[in-house]
Amino acid sequence: MSPHSQPSAMSWEAFKALVRERAQHWRVFGLPGRWQVLQELKELQRLQEALGADARPASDRFPILYLATLDDGWGHGLDVIEAAARAVGVRTVRLGLLCSAEHILDACRRRPPDVLGLTILHAETEPIVSAVVQGLTSGVTVLAEGPVFGIPTLRHAPA
């Protein structure tokens, strides 16, 4: 992405093409370090917001994503997931770190999200994940990720 981009002249279709290009680059060359990913996502969000309300779809057309950790007190994964979601216009609600099943389900009952994103570090958390999934209303998609699911091999672009 060029820092000299002209966001006001960009269309929503051009923005989506830019997001697809960035995602493809990451698939081919692997993710850069966390801080670089966050910076690139901030730039995408800046471009998306600079489009203006008239150029973007209405915010209610985007899903609502709730984010929580079950056994992670740092939330580094949530930072990246939230930045990626916001960069493309997804509405996010961070439920917190080290959340109990009851806390997550209470929030989901008050206002059901479209997607519930969970980060999970340890296999011992599986009973909590099961309780959350079983307690959700139908129509909520659950995305769970973390080392407990296996660590993907990342390739980095040559310097």
Side-chain angles (χ1 to χ4, degrees), residues 30-156:
L31 285 173
R34 178 175 177 271
W35 291 111
Q36 184 175 343
V37 168
L38 287 171
Q39 289 300 358
E40 291 182 30
L41 292 169
K42 280 183 188 177
E43 175 65 9
L44 284 173
Q45 183 174 357
R46 186 189 69 74
L47 291 171
Q48 181 259 127
E49 290 171 350
L51 291 172
D54 294 341
R56 292 189 312 256
S59 64
D60 63 356
R61 291 197 43 210
F62 291 96
I64 297 174
L65 168 65
Y66 284 6
L67 296 164
T69 70
L70 299 175
D71 58 356
D72 171 9
W74 291 90
H76 292 306
L78 292 187
D79 293 341
V80 174
I81 295 164
E82 186 172 33
R86 287 185 175 186
V88 296
V90 173
R91 299 170 290 162
T92 63
V93 175
R94 189 180 286 222
L95 299 179
L97 306 175
L98 300 169
C99 292
S100 66
E102 295 78 21
H103 175 74
I104 294 168
L105 289 171
D106 183 50
C108 290
R109 285 184 193 113
R110 282 194 313 269
R111 183 170 182 214
D114 299 294
V115 179
L116 171 63
L118 302 172
T119 61
I120 302 161
L121 297 178
H122 304 287
E124 298 83 32
T125 311
E126 192 278 328
I128 300 170
V129 175
S130 293
V132 168
V133 170
Q134 291 173 5
L136 291 171
T137 60
S138 65
V140 177
T141 300
V142 176
L143 299 176
E145 185 60 64
V148 72
F149 299 106
I151 300 172
T153 302
L154 298 178
R155 291 175 288 136
H156 295 279

Side-chain angles (χ1 to χ4, degrees), residues 9-48:
M10 185 180 286
S11 69
W12 179 249
E13 291 305 315
F15 174 75
K16 290 191 315 185
L18 184 64
V19 170
R20 283 192 293 274
E21 174 188 302
R22 177 64 16 208
Q24 180 61 25
H25 178 83
W26 288 342
R27 272 193 288 278
V28 171
F29 296 106
L31 285 173
R34 178 175 177 271
W35 291 111
Q36 184 175 343
V37 168
L38 287 171
Q39 289 300 358
E40 291 182 30
L41 292 169
K42 280 183 188 177
E43 175 65 9
L44 284 173
Q45 183 174 357
R46 186 189 69 74
L47 291 171
Q48 181 259 127

